[in-house]
Amino acid sequence: DLKIFSISRRRARTGFSPVSLKKHITIIPQQYKKAIKYKISNIRHSNGIDSNWHKSMLLYPFKLFAHPLETFNDLKYENKASLWIANIMAFLFCLVRMAGHSSTAYLFKGANADKTSAITIGIVSLLTIIVWTMCNWATCTLFDGEGSVKDIWVVTTYSLLPYIIFGSLNIALSYMLTTSEMTFYNFFSFLGTAWTVLLIFLGVLVVHQYTVTKNVLSILGTILIITCLIFLLLLFISIFQQVYSFILNILSEIIIRNL
């Protein structure tokens, strides 16, 4: 638009008729206004100021129930992903895990439910998502994946929606069902978990642009890395406990001998 405006001004100096000059003066600023409005709308859209854009982003995870592959493709390539919503999904997942541990009816709780606090369950749930994201990103560098850490985090947290819904439903059902109707409780629990696992599988497939075989190998590699990290963590904790106990025994011996 600036180029057109400068050309029009140069032509006006070289000899336009008054009618032609008036035509260019009236038309060019209108094009200028259109360009400015277009730029402003793009800036508002990119900054999330548009309320309709906010509403569509909030409802967008629910499209996974009908069109998972198309939704994951839009999250990566159509700029439909939102870190705010992804973080909210991660928070809701941890909240449902904590509520399921502490608020589920007594008949449907596990035998060892009281031995672990709800806060520990929430922390472990959040760490599970973080470790999965980082390990999958590390694996994708070996398998030539195209997804970034943000992409993996978004598709993983968005895929938790079925677990959040059916987990919340199970908490309510635990106060309505009896032990003879536990089949329904187990069915919804399995459905939410299986649906989430399937969505994560499809999300990783789309984000990294893998084939099915390569995606399976990538996920197996991710699980292997997570297993190695857990083993190293447990080994570190065991060594730390032994060193701590050794130092404590030495200090106790020194104190006893001085007394």
Side-chain angles (χ1 to χ4, degrees), residues 39-86:
K39 288 290 183 181
I40 292 174
S41 65
N42 281 346
I43 294 171
R44 293 182 62 187
H45 182 76
S46 62
N47 290 333
I49 298 175
D50 192 356
S51 60
N52 293 328
W53 184 82
H54 269 305
K55 292 176 183 178
S56 63
M57 289 297 101
L58 288 172
L59 298 176
Y60 206 79
F62 291 92
K63 287 187 65 177
L64 289 170
F65 290 104
H67 308 287
L69 293 176
E70 179 184 347
T71 304
F72 286 130
N73 187 75
D74 291 343
L75 290 176
K76 180 172 175 61
Y77 298 107
E78 300 297 331
N79 198 26
K80 299 290 186 178
S82 171
L83 277 178
W84 281 102
I85 297 177

Side-chain angles (χ1 to χ4, degrees), residues 177-204:
L177 303 177
T178 61
T179 52
S180 60
E181 299 169 327
M182 191 175 287
T183 305
F184 296 101
Y185 181 89
N186 293 333
F187 171 74
F188 286 123
S189 179
F190 171 79
L191 182 61
T193 304
W195 204 334
T196 292
V197 171
L198 178 61
L199 288 178
I200 291 175
F201 179 85
L202 295 176
V204 173

Side-chain angles (χ1 to χ4, degrees), residues 5 27 31 41 45 48-49 65 76 86 100 108-110 112 118 120 125 129 158-159 189 201 218 223 246 249:
F5 187 66
I27 291 176
Q31 295 176 348
S41 65
H45 182 76
I49 298 175
F65 290 104
K76 180 172 175 61
F108 294 89
K109 280 187 177 181
N112 300 321
T120 304
S125 301
I129 305 173
Y158 274 50
S159 300
S189 179
F201 179 85
S218 172
I223 295 173
F246 176 74
N249 290 334

Side-chain angles (χ1 to χ4, degrees), residues 238-252:
S238 177
I239 293 173
F240 177 79
Q241 288 177 344
Q242 291 178 8
V243 172
Y244 176 78
S245 178
F246 176 74
I247 295 173
L248 191 63
N249 290 334
I250 291 176
L251 292 177
S252 298

